Amino acid sequence: MDLRSVIKTVPDFPAEGVMYKDVTSILENSKAFEYSVESLMKFCTGRRITDIVSPDARGFLWGSPVAFLMGVPLHMVRKPNKLPPPVKSQSYDYEYASGVLEMKADAPLNANSSVCIIDDVNATGGTALAITDLLKTFGVQDMCYASVIDLAFLGGSSKLDMDTFSVVTYE
C-alpha cells in the first residue's frame, strides 16, 4: 500500500511555510491504519522486543496496537502532570517549541529490556532523543525507533544512534 496517497498535506499548518503531514488521514482509512500497524509490528518482531514505549498522544495510537498484537507491555510517555507520581522527567526541543516529557518512575524497565519507541512522526528527533534519555535512566541499552512518517529532510532520524524504521519517508 502506498501511504503517500492516503496522507494529506496541509499547507501553512501549524505555521506559515510548513507542509504538515496529517496522520489522521491514515486513521480515517482502516486499510491504511492496518497496513501501518502491521509494518511497525514487522519491524519489531525481528528484534525480540520486550517493551513498547510511545509518546503522548498520537504515538499511543500506533504503539498500543503493536504492543497488544505482540503481547508486550506499553509504557506511556506523557506531558507533565498527566501521570500519577512518581515520575521521571526529561526536557527537550522539537520542531516548534520545547517541552518536558515524563514516564512512570516505577516502570519495570531495566538493562535486560529491549525497547522499541513508536511514534507517529519523526521530524527533528527531539522527542525520540528525550525518550532515549529517559530510558537510559532505567538502564535500558537496547533500543530501536519506529515511526509512521519520517520527515528525513529535517534530520531527526540521522540524530538517532539506533536502528530506525519508518513506514513512509519524506526526503
Side-chain angles (χ1 to χ4, degrees):
M1 170 175 275
D2 179 18
L3 283 187
R4 288 175 189 267
S5 65
V6 176
I7 298 167
K8 294 177 185 169
T9 300
V10 181
D12 299 320
F13 180 79
E16 190 171 331
V18 174
M19 299 299 286
Y20 184 80
K21 303 301 180 195
D22 185 9
V23 296
T24 62
S25 55
I26 297 171
L27 298 170
E28 295 167 349
N29 179 321
S30 63
K31 294 292 184 195
F33 182 58
E34 178 181 16
Y35 175 79
S36 63
V37 169
E38 287 177 353
S39 297
L40 294 166
M41 192 173 69
K42 281 182 190 175
F43 173 74
C44 292
T45 301
R47 285 165 178 74
R48 298 184 189 160
I49 299 300
T50 61
D51 298 86
I52 301 293
V53 172
S54 289
D56 203 346
R58 294 177 311 205
F60 300 165
L61 298 171
W62 279 272
S64 297
V66 171
F68 172 76
L69 292 169
M70 292 184 66
V72 300
L74 172 72
H75 305 280
M76 298 185 299
V77 177
R78 304 226 40 207
K79 295 174 180 113
N81 303 310
K82 299 291 183 182
L83 293 171
V87 296
K88 292 184 178 191
S89 300
Q90 181 66 46
S91 298
Y92 72 111
D93 294 316
Y94 57 100
E95 299 92 326
Y96 314 109
S98 59
V100 175
L101 294 175
E102 295 182 339
M103 267 184 87
K104 300 264 303 155
D106 58 358
L109 296 164
N110 56 53
N112 295 319
S113 301
S114 179
V115 173
C116 185
I117 302 164
I118 295 180
D119 203 357
D120 65 329
V121 177
N122 183 23
T124 63
T127 303
L129 290 169
I131 293 170
T132 299
D133 288 344
L134 271 172
L135 291 172
K136 287 178 182 176
T137 68
F138 291 94
V140 176
Q141 298 170 359
D142 185 11
M143 295 177 248
C144 60
Y145 178 86
S147 61
V148 178
I149 297 172
D150 182 10
L151 303 177
F153 60 90
L154 293 175
S157 51
S158 66
K159 295 176 187 173
L160 304 177
D161 186 23
M162 64 183 81
D163 284 343
T164 63
F165 170 79
S166 63
V167 182
V168 176
T169 301
Y170 291 91
E171 299 291 339

